[in-house]
Amino acid sequence: MTEAPEKGNKKMRKVDLRSDTVTRPTPAMRRAMAEAEVGDDVFGEDPTVNRLEALAAERLGKEAALFVASGTMGNLVSLLAHCGRGDEVLLGDRSHTFFYEQGGSAALGGVHPRSLPNQPDGTIDLRQVEEAVRPDNIHFPRTRLIVIENTHNRCSGRALTSEYMRGVGDIARRHALKIHVDGARIFNAAVALGVDASVLVSEADSVTFCLSKGLAAPVGSLVCGSRDFISEARRARKVVGGGMRQAGVLAAAGIVALEQMIDRLVEDHVNARRLAQRLKDTEGLSVDTGSVQTNIVYMDMTYKGRSSNDVAGQLAREGVLLLPTGPRQLRAVTNYHISQDDVAHAADLILKVAGG
Ligand SMILES: Cc1ncc(COP(=O)(O)O)c(C=O)c1O
């Protein structure tokens, strides 16, 4: 909880549920940043970046890792490293890579995206994946890569299981394809499913995960994969301008994120379920409580007369921030700064403003 600008003379309570990206670095992160040993990372000489990359690779069960500026950059350099111009990538039509990354791999790398329907649980039907793989034919692009998102942001933050990933792996092996996992929130998936993150990505050739979301670091993501793949991704990072220098000041916060902030994600998941439970029987709102597995809650507004912007604006004036994600859809994401009490306060206000 934080304090918003004053309303009259009274301090207004502010509960920011727009995203887990609004999290601020913890005191331990700030200390680690201030004391970080640094060097020129483009020369491979930043000891703190090197330590973070080794730690990330170990946690994800991969040979090597690369520190990048953002999740978007992690996905972009992964696609550029896996695919050449004209190659085709299969990905979900609600995936972040397809929806929210400006089609970067097409714009910058000539990679051809083929979107397949995401099911409400974030998976793509495996039959449809297999049917989409192109036969060898002069008319067709070459299918190279399958992208899977876990947890799936636009599919209620659902966690995809290792059983599902095995099915994806079987298809990839049959057709000599690579798999990239956009695991921006892979540790939320691991905590929700009670399995190690490395197990969830064991079928993947590459994984991106973010430090700057639920793990509360200020900046940065990691790409993990084989040593050869990471060398290619490192080249791609350089050409998109992502070679950073004394980046150890950022990596230091990332090390704290990996060492101290994963186990507590369960608190965000419990709070998200609390919020969904409080809102579920509200007239004017529809919340699918069954779909809330991690830290994301979507609310669909059932009254035709009001837009989500309208409702979000009114809530914001009262100190509760939600993100409009469609003309009649709002999203709340619990995070490190949100207490059980904040959830109760936000739910009361949402019921007042958006409900009946
Ligand atoms: C699933 C997913 N992938 C990738 C990203 C991109 O991360 P960034 O904002 O660090 O570029 C996000 C951001 O919200 C995300 O939710």
Side-chain angles (χ1 to χ4, degrees):
M1 198 260 285
T2 45
E3 279 173 355
E6 306 214 351
K7 187 191 179 194
N9 275 338
K10 245 176 68 203
K11 284 241 180 341
M12 189 168 52
R13 179 179 190 160
K14 182 176 165 192
V15 182
D16 192 347
L17 290 162
R18 287 170 301 165
S19 177
D20 45 11
T21 57
V22 302
T23 44
R24 299 173 302 281
T26 65
M29 289 177 188
R30 289 180 188 271
R31 271 194 305 277
M33 293 171 80
E35 291 162 11
E37 220 188 312
V38 296
D40 189 328
D41 180 50
V42 174
F43 295 151
E45 289 173 3
D46 188 303
T48 311
V49 171
N50 292 343
R51 205 147 57 83
L52 172 64
E53 290 179 345
L55 180 62
E58 186 214 309
R59 290 290 172 98
L60 274 292
K62 303 295 179 201
E63 284 177 2
L66 178 72
F67 186 41
V68 292
S70 66
T72 301
M73 184 183 281
N75 290 332
L76 175 62
V77 302
S78 297
L79 267 62
L80 294 178
H82 283 302
C83 301
R85 299 188 71 79
D87 285 346
E88 187 167 73
V89 50
L90 306 179
L91 75 183
D93 62 353
R94 291 201 245 171
S95 67
H96 196 279
T97 305
F98 184 63
F99 218 89
Y100 287 127
E101 295 174 13
Q102 282 195 25
S105 64
L108 305 180
V111 179
H112 186 249
R114 176 137 179 227
S115 69
L116 303 171
N118 274 123
Q119 304 186 89
D121 67 359
T123 61
I124 308 170
D125 183 292
L126 291 178
R127 243 189 0 232
Q128 290 191 5
V129 174
E130 187 138 32
E131 281 167 14
V133 179
R134 308 277 192 169
D136 185 12
N137 180 312
I138 198 171
H139 297 88
F140 296 148
R142 293 188 174 114
T143 313
R144 286 276 184 231
L145 181 69
I146 306 169
V147 176
I148 301 292
E149 184 172 313
N150 197 9
T151 64
H152 202 294
N153 181 342
R154 282 184 65 86
C155 294
S156 310
R158 293 288 288 266
L160 279 63
T161 64
S162 38
E163 290 73 40
Y164 175 73
M165 288 307 298
R166 266 198 292 284
V168 179
D170 287 341
I171 295 171
R173 274 184 289 280
R174 275 199 291 280
H175 299 280
L177 307 179
K178 302 288 186 192
I179 299 173
H180 173 69
V181 170
D182 175 0
R185 296 182 182 81
I186 196 68
F187 292 107
N188 293 83
V191 166
L193 296 169
V195 296
D196 206 86
S198 63
V199 174
L200 290 179
V201 300
S202 62
E203 297 283 352
D205 297 282
S206 58
V207 190
T208 301
F209 74 84
C210 294
L211 300 165
S212 59
K213 300 198 162 63
L215 303 185
V219 178
S221 294
L222 274 302
V223 178
C224 305
S226 69
R227 247 174 237 109
D228 287 348
F229 169 80
I230 291 298
S231 302
E232 281 305 303
R234 196 176 289 280
R235 279 186 63 81
R237 183 185 71 169
K238 192 73 178 76
V239 79
V240 297
M244 297 183 280
R245 302 294 176 171
Q246 287 70 34
V249 288
L250 301 174
I255 292 170
V256 176
L258 285 178
E259 289 181 340
Q260 298 182 7
M261 301 298 283
I262 292 174
D263 292 344
R264 64 148 307 283
L265 290 173
V266 68
E267 295 167 28
D268 299 343
H269 300 177
V270 169
N271 275 336
R273 279 198 293 277
R274 277 195 186 109
L275 181 66
Q277 281 297 336
R278 278 290 311 281
L279 299 176
K280 77 169 191 270
D281 294 323
T282 311
E283 235 186 286
L285 277 184
S286 158
V287 177
D288 176 9
T289 49
S291 70
V292 179
Q293 258 187 324
T294 61
N295 62 340
I296 300 180
V297 180
Y298 281 95
M299 297 155 233
D300 289 308
M301 297 164 43
T302 51
Y303 288 146
K304 296 270 180 298
R306 295 184 73 193
S307 72
S308 51
N309 280 332
D310 202 27
V311 170
Q314 195 178 338
L315 284 166
R317 286 190 290 281
E318 305 266 354
V320 170
L321 304 183
L322 300 181
L323 191 74
T325 45
R328 277 188 229 298
Q329 190 183 60
L330 292 162
R331 188 187 78 171
V333 185
T334 52
N335 62 68
Y336 178 57
H337 305 296
I338 303 296
S339 66
Q340 186 175 342
D341 211 41
D342 290 329
V343 167
H345 173 74
D348 285 345
L349 206 73
I350 295 167
L351 291 173
K352 192 176 99 188
V353 169

